[in-house]
Amino acid sequence: METHPVPTPAEAEIAERIGSAARERTPLSIQGNATKAGMLRPVQAARTISTAGYSGISLYAPKELIISAHAGTPLPEIEAALAEQGQHLIAEPADLSAILGASDKPQTIGGVVAANLSGPRRVASGATRDHVMGVRVVTGAGELIHSGGRVLKNVTGLDLCKLLTGSHGTLGVITEVTLKVLPAPEASATLILPKLPPDAAIRALSLALGSPFGVSGAAWVPSLPGSGVPAALLRIEDFTASVSYRIERLRGLLDVAAAEIVADDASRALWRAVRDATLLPVGADDAVWRVSVRPSAGAEVLRAMEDACGARGFLDWGGGLVWLAAPASTQAHAAVEAAARRSGGVWTLMRAPVALRGAVDVVPPEVPALARITARVKAAMDPAGILNPGRIFAGV
Amino acid sequence: MIPLPAPKQDVLQRRAAIVAGLRDLLPESGLISEPNRLKPYETDGLSAYRMPPMAVALPETTEQVAAVLRFCSRNGVRVVPRGAGTSLSGGALPMEDSVVVGLMRMNRILDIDYADRCATVQAGVTNIGVTNAVSANGFFYAPDPSSQLACMIGGNVNMNSGGAHCLKYGVTANNLLGLKIVTIDGDILDIGGHHLDAAGYDWLGLLTGSEGMLAVVTEVTVRILRAPEGARAMLAAFASNEVAGACVDSIISSGIIPVALEFMDRPAIHACEAFAHAGYPLDAEAMLIIEVEGSTAEQDDLLGRLSAICNRHDPISLKVSQSAEESLAIWKGRKGAFGAIGRISPDYLCMDGTIPTSQLPLVLRRIGEMSAGYGLGVANIFHAGDGNLHPLIMFDANDPASFHKAETFGADILRLCVEVGGCLTGEHGVGVEKRDLMPVQFAPHELAQQRRIKSAFDPDWLLNPSKVFPLVGPAAGPVLSMAAE
């Protein structure tokens, strides 16, 4: 049995196009369906390589909790195949069309992995990067390599899966991913704690996340759909009897008289709204940021941004993920940087006009000693510097 | 025996000056260079391989680590980072011309934050030490390698250690938030922090499992979790490996992910029973230990569902523990497995491949045939939920022919793991042990790509060289020529 990767015709074509671009030093824009092109820094490239046409599930072994798909496979196709077997993607990646604009094409699994997008379940079960068990990648030199494999536990060699996940097409073109999946829970319910301001909400979320009851979602929203009141949300997903038991124990632990419970479809709709950030009112001229901080600092970031520029926001991951929207300006971005830095956290510019995205640090700049390593790793993966140049850091 | 690279003669010749230079950088008693005191550092958990280093540095602060690395970098001296020295793959095996940087004196818990559910500890804190520090508040650190009483967090990060409970809780990489590292140039870098997601590249992910080749880890911020309300185990025994394997499939298909799902074959059952008297069924060909968590009612519910599934596979016996004590008894044999094999064989090699779980019956059958062919006994312990297989090959280290056969047998098993779609190592790391098998899993250009990443962090290949990548051969040029680039 051949264990070394043999390029499929589609991979061979991608490798050939990248190889020739490398020889000519022609910058390439790397994308799937380009649904996330509005994030991070704009890429100036002469040509585009899209994996959108390279689609299809190549392996699905439900009993081994493993699915492999070509990079261009639409996410909904993967979700549907998993649902048929009662399974799901663990990190519940977001559909960010509310933030990044509706596209007539769905996001691809390659894009989800390249952006390391994770939803509310991140707080309990890990990020997309935690479930990427294998990748096939064409490097900037036009070589097809693989890392990881199709098994759940693998420490053989350097973990390039994690390096590639979240690298936004700057280190290689992901052509196939293998993900760990899990059985979808039988039931889901949400405990809603209404009328809590952010700091009190975070204390409640923290208490719940530090309980033995397996909270799989912990958010605060400024305006609950329906009632319009601010509220903390706690999700439990498990077998039906467990969900009832755990929700009651949480209610007792938090001792909030006015707590409400929504179950199943209503609960799922609520968390889809949190996941996709559709609860964030985003004006046409707004920029959007995600700030990842220690959970207890979430309320402070939110307050600082309200004070600085009237930003609106909500909290996920127990307070550890702050979604922010404010009129796009360098001042607003500077306020985000300052708030994130004060809290020891990091920011990602998720949406802004091209001019702003090209002018600011869309993620925190690295200290010089790390930036030197970054430049050398970039050169090791993409010697001609042609893959999505400048997408994350200027000059990388 | 696996060869080590030739020492750098110029470094050996400068030994006295190097030792003196290092002594100046470290506290009193922070440098060991006397041959008799170097002895404890000459090997790790892969004890068939031994090589005393030139010196052992025992820094107490990150700044001292940085000073030592800067000195070694300027003087072209190779560095082998070491925690407790429990690596089963020779990850901490010194080289003759190397300085071992031992992190065991950096053993302080720096910060525990229950509100944000994380703890920052120095690299030399033991794995169990983290859990012990937070257990009074009902918390624990999830990855639990078998060596958890001794092994240290810095080593866990470098080897991306797993354990029996990673089916539910993940491996080390899934339980980290931040690192403090020192590069070979002596730069101190903070990677990650107390937040969940990196912005920019996932250096935390790349460094985890990098086997000491990219940087030295001095501090680690781990996630701590609230312990479940309770846990209970059950034991199910079957008439064949195939039936037990089918039962594992049925469990996963049912939507239940047990917190642990351990498989033992007949030789493992017999060895563990003779050692621990755990009440294991000696007439079984295969046995599963299944553990669930939750409230008593939740445990009852899950164990009921699992019993029903097992009963559909005609178990020889089924024992559901009714108490924490009975659960401990069920685990007692499995947890004593290494000691049990040690009692029936003078020596053993613990292998560590991963396979797609559907391949288990085939792989066990082939291992059985190899065992007969080599004339060496083997007992198989398997983390069945995640496909991580630990064959324990029994041999006699006093007989070089027996050791050679055991190594060849082990390599054959790992080749088989890759052949059926798995990998060379699930949780022990490549180290020295599996270094020369890397071309089985990776093509030459893929190894060259990984080497270039190593070079990006450590251009002169001073950090733990001779591990992970083959020294010579078609896969890539030798380490020494890489170092000359």
Side-chain angles (χ1 to χ4, degrees):
Chain A
M1 178 178 165
E2 181 55 65
T3 56
H4 297 161
V6 177
T8 63
E11 287 170 331
E13 193 201 323
I14 291 169
E16 154 47 35
R17 289 182 62 198
I18 290 177
S20 70
R23 284 187 294 278
E24 301 158 10
R25 305 214 159 233
T26 305
L28 298 172
S29 168
I30 308 302
Q31 50 189 237
N33 275 330
T35 59
K36 289 177 265 301
M39 283 179 68
L40 303 180
R41 293 168 48 83
V43 170
Q44 300 200 333
R47 291 207 287 270
T48 293
I49 293 207
S50 170
T51 56
Y54 189 39
S55 175
I57 293 166
S58 42
L59 168 82
Y60 180 25
K63 290 171 184 170
E64 293 171 359
L65 306 175
I66 278 289
I67 192 165
S68 304
H70 300 312
T73 312
L75 189 69
E77 185 179 326
I78 291 174
E79 288 171 331
L82 293 172
E84 226 168 80
Q85 298 292 327
Q87 297 189 330
H88 69 176
L89 291 174
I90 304 165
E92 54 180 338
D95 172 351
L96 292 181
S97 48
I99 302 290
L100 294 169
S103 161
D104 52 346
K105 290 178 182 152
Q107 63 180 336
T108 64
I109 191 66
V112 166
V113 169
N116 187 25
L117 283 181
S118 314
R121 214 176 284 118
R122 165 70 176 109
V123 74
S125 311
T128 290
R129 61 83 104 161
D130 291 298
H131 310 116
V132 177
M133 297 294 117
V135 289
R136 283 162 71 99
V137 178
V138 177
T139 67
E143 287 185 334
L144 179 74
I145 61 167
H146 85 294
S147 183
R150 53 142 305 180
V151 288
L152 300 184
K153 228 162 134 192
N154 187 345
V155 295
T156 320
L158 291 175
D159 189 352
L160 303 190
C161 296
K162 293 211 173 55
L163 180 62
L164 268 304
T165 302
S167 69
H168 293 276
T170 60
L171 301 179
V173 178
I174 296 171
T175 58
E176 185 183 73
V177 300
T178 299
L179 301 173
K180 177 183 177 181
V181 296
L182 279 178
E186 186 178 274
S188 163
T190 302
L191 186 68
I192 301 175
L193 312 176
K195 297 182 184 161
L196 287 187
D199 43 4
I202 288 177
R203 283 194 297 276
L205 299 178
S206 174
L207 199 58
L209 285 164
S211 79
F213 305 121
V215 170
S216 76
W220 174 84
V221 297
S223 172
L224 198 62
S227 67
V229 299
L233 312 175
L234 286 161
R235 177 174 65 178
I236 301 282
E237 300 172 295
D238 211 314
F239 290 107
T240 306
S242 273
V243 169
S244 313
Y245 164 74
R246 291 175 178 224
I247 284 278
E248 280 313 314
R249 290 297 304 270
L250 274 182
R251 195 213 289 259
L253 175 76
L254 297 169
D255 195 24
V256 176
E260 299 160 32
I261 296 165
V262 296
D264 296 324
D265 284 348
S267 173
R268 279 187 273 270
L270 197 50
W271 288 98
R272 214 159 28 244
V274 173
R275 183 192 78 177
D276 297 347
T278 52
L279 296 168
L280 189 67
V282 181
D285 299 324
D286 280 358
V288 176
W289 299 263
R290 270 162 72 116
V291 176
S292 184
V293 285
R294 64 163 71 216
S296 55
E300 190 187 312
V301 171
L302 210 51
R303 192 165 47 242
M305 286 303 296
E306 270 168 21
D307 293 349
C309 57
R312 302 162 303 286
F314 74 96
L315 304 169
D316 196 359
W317 302 352
L321 175 64
V322 189
W323 282 91
L324 293 164
S329 70
T330 51
Q331 291 81 356
H333 186 78
V336 172
E337 289 192 9
R341 282 212 170 93
R342 264 198 307 277
S343 309
V346 296
W347 66 87
T348 304
L349 181 56
M350 298 297 293
R351 158 195 153 138
V354 168
L356 185 63
R357 290 159 55 209
V360 300
D361 290 318
V362 296
V363 299
E366 295 175 327
V367 298
L370 186 57
R372 283 196 294 277
I373 291 173
T374 298
R376 293 199 295 254
V377 169
K378 167 76 173 175
M381 295 296 298
D382 175 20
I386 55 168
L387 301 179
N388 267 355
R391 178 109 174 98
I392 305 176
F393 299 108
V396 176
Chain B
M1 295 290 281
I2 296 155
L4 292 174
K8 294 178 170 181
Q9 289 305 325
D10 67 305
V11 168
L12 292 180
Q13 279 158 15
R14 286 183 283 131
R15 182 176 188 279
I18 289 166
V19 166
L22 287 169
R23 203 178 294 282
D24 287 345
L25 303 173
L26 291 158
E28 186 81 34
S29 84
L31 191 88
I32 296 172
S33 61
E34 306 84 339
N36 61 324
R37 292 185 59 215
L38 289 174
K39 194 116 181 89
Y41 300 93
E42 68 182 16
T43 187
D44 59 8
L46 187 69
S47 57
Y49 290 85
R50 285 167 196 275
M51 177 60 75
M54 202 161 56
V56 175
L58 300 172
E60 293 170 8
T61 66
T62 298
E63 289 69 28
Q64 289 168 12
V65 173
V68 167
L69 292 192
R70 204 173 299 122
F71 178 89
C72 288
S73 171
R74 287 186 184 151
N75 287 280
V77 178
R78 292 164 169 165
V79 172
V80 175
R82 182 183 179 100
T86 54
S87 170
L88 292 167
S89 59
L93 177 69
M95 285 172 297
E96 191 183 347
D97 59 352
S98 69
V99 169
V100 166
V101 175
L103 281 303
M104 53 287 270
R105 289 190 180 173
M106 293 187 65
N107 59 0
R108 286 189 303 132
I109 309 264
L110 300 176
D111 181 53
I112 297 172
D113 182 343
Y114 293 106
D116 289 331
R117 300 167 300 283
C118 59
T120 300
V121 305
Q122 290 184 316
V125 171
T126 59
N127 174 290
I128 196 76
V130 181
T131 290
N132 287 344
V134 298
S135 59
N137 287 56
F139 281 74
F140 72 113
Y141 172 61
D144 61 340
S146 304
S147 55
Q148 70 178 157
L149 298 180
C151 67
M152 294 170 182
I153 288 295
N156 288 182
V157 171
N158 272 298
M159 304 313 267
N160 194 10
S161 306
H165 293 85
C166 49
L167 181 57
K168 176 167 180 193
Y169 293 110
V171 294
T172 302
N174 314 120
N175 288 278
L176 298 181
L177 292 176
L179 300 177
K180 194 181 281 293
I181 62 166
V182 184
T183 68
I184 189 64
D185 295 327
D187 290 316
I188 299 169
L189 295 174
D190 288 308
I191 304 294
H194 294 78
H195 50 276
L196 282 174
D197 265 13
Y201 296 110
D202 186 3
W203 301 125
L204 184 62
L206 179 66
L207 285 158
T208 306
S210 63
E211 304 204 18
M213 297 191 302
L214 303 185
V216 174
V217 173
T218 61
E219 289 178 17
V220 185
T221 300
V222 301
R223 299 184 79 181
I224 52 172
L225 303 175
R226 179 64 186 262
E229 288 187 89
R232 236 180 326 148
M234 62 180 283
L235 185 160
F238 299 92
S240 74
N241 291 329
E242 282 80 0
V243 176
C247 185
V248 169
D249 280 353
S250 299
I251 291 169
I252 300 292
S253 304
S254 76
I256 299 173
I257 300 297
V259 66
L261 182 49
E262 295 284 288
F263 179 114
M264 295 164 72
D265 72 356
R266 183 183 184 90
I269 297 167
H270 278 249
C272 291
E273 178 59 19
F275 182 65
H277 310 294
Y280 289 172
L282 295 174
D283 52 344
E285 286 298 318
M287 189 187 102
L288 300 177
I289 296 175
I290 314 166
E291 186 172 88
V292 300
E293 290 179 343
S295 67
T296 306
E298 288 176 308
Q299 294 167 24
D300 286 341
D301 174 50
L302 290 172
L303 291 169
R305 290 168 193 252
L306 289 163
S307 297
I309 294 167
C310 291
N311 274 323
R312 290 206 299 273
H313 294 273
D314 299 321
I316 293 175
S317 64
L318 200 63
K319 188 159 89 188
V320 177
S321 94
Q322 301 303 323
S323 64
E325 293 69 36
E326 286 184 30
S327 292
L328 279 178
I330 288 177
W331 274 110
K332 190 176 163 203
R334 165 64 186 88
K335 296 218 163 166
F338 290 0
I341 304 296
R343 219 182 63 140
I344 58 172
S345 171
D347 300 280
Y348 64 87
L349 282 181
C350 177
M351 307 311 292
D352 170 48
T354 305
I355 55 172
T357 49
S358 60
Q359 301 292 321
L360 181 66
L362 167 78
V363 168
L364 290 184
R365 195 165 61 242
R366 294 270 299 275
I367 289 176
E369 290 161 10
M370 291 178 200
S371 168
Y374 281 105
L376 293 176
V378 63
N380 289 290
I381 290 167
F382 184 57
H383 303 306
D386 54 33
N388 191 193
L389 181 65
H390 293 309
L392 299 160
I393 300 172
M394 297 168 235
F395 71 102
D396 180 357
N398 289 323
D399 172 5
S402 170
F403 177 54
H404 177 71
K405 272 201 294 187
E407 281 202 314
T408 315
F409 182 5
D412 284 352
I413 292 174
L414 297 184
R415 279 193 199 92
L416 173 63
C417 290
V418 176
E419 190 186 307
V420 300
C423 66
L424 296 172
T425 173
E427 58 185 0
H428 294 175
V430 177
V432 166
E433 184 201 24
K434 293 173 277 279
R435 184 191 72 194
D436 293 341
L437 290 171
M438 286 290 273
V440 176
Q441 192 169 327
F442 295 104
H445 74 279
E446 295 178 300
L447 287 173
Q449 183 62 60
Q450 291 190 35
R451 285 168 165 272
R452 284 194 288 271
I453 303 289
K454 153 81 170 157
S455 296
F457 281 79
D458 177 21
D460 297 324
W461 282 61
L462 295 175
L463 275 172
N464 220 11
S466 84
K467 314 289 167 67
V468 182
F469 300 113
L471 298 186
V472 288
V479 168
L480 293 177
S481 80
M482 290 293 295
E485 274 179 14

